Amino acid sequence: QEQLMESGGGSVQAGGSLRLSCTVSKYAGTRICMGWFRQDPEQARARELIASIDPDGRTSYGDSVKGRFTISKDNAKNILTLQMDNLKPEDSAKYTCAAGGCLIDCSRRPCYSALRLEALDAWGQGTLVSVSS
């Protein structure tokens, strides 16, 4: 169910930066995983989870964005942010913020956690990002 709202998408040249924001007031004071996934507007490819943050602040990233994107959450303002740097044309997609269950794996240290796309509680309508070469 769509209950979150993203902002900050747009067009940028390769190498540029964009900052996406998502209002998550609905989950103030709760322990839930949040994150961002993206999908080709033509939906020819499956959703790709690109960044997650768990209730303890642990973050994880997809291999395609690791080192370039940063997820953060302002608990005072209830805003989830995705800072995207060094953007590439292949980053062009519809970006959606979401909240839901966590996958937590502590068989390795530090523990790994990620938003479970199959266990979403809420998500936004998505915002388009276009990166030109």
Side-chain angles (χ1 to χ4, degrees):
Q1 49 185 335
E2 296 178 0
Q3 295 185 21
L4 306 180
M5 182 174 293
E6 306 91 346
S7 62
S11 299
V12 66
Q13 288 190 324
S17 298
L18 283 173
R19 188 179 184 90
L20 306 183
S21 297
C22 177
T23 302
V24 292
S25 303
K26 168 184 170 71
Y27 295 103
T30 65
R31 291 184 60 81
I32 195 167
C33 263
M34 299 182 186
W36 296 86
F37 65 87
R38 67 186 181 188
Q39 189 169 32
D40 182 325
E42 301 298 323
Q43 300 187 0
R45 294 178 295 178
R47 295 178 302 180
E48 178 188 7
L49 179 66
I50 55 171
S52 298
I53 185 165
D54 76 7
D56 295 319
R58 286 179 294 225
T59 59
S60 61
Y61 300 91
D63 288 341
S64 62
V65 305
K66 201 171 293 184
R68 300 187 297 122
F69 290 13
T70 304
I71 187 172
S72 61
K73 183 172 177 291
D74 185 328
N75 291 317
K77 297 180 180 179
N78 296 309
I79 295 176
L80 182 71
T81 299
L82 183 69
Q83 177 67 39
M84 306 185 294
D85 298 318
N86 191 21
L87 282 160
K88 304 176 180 180
E90 51 264 41
D91 293 320
S92 297
K94 183 172 75 171
Y95 286 70
T96 304
C97 67
C102 298
L103 164 67
I104 298 177
D105 178 7
C106 289
S107 64
R108 50 180 167 167
R109 289 288 187 267
C111 292
Y112 168 85
S113 68
L115 175 66
R116 293 176 56 201
L117 290 183
E118 74 278 14
L120 295 182
D121 184 69
W123 56 92
Q125 289 188 324
T127 184
L128 291 176
V129 170
S130 177
V131 184
S132 58
S133 57

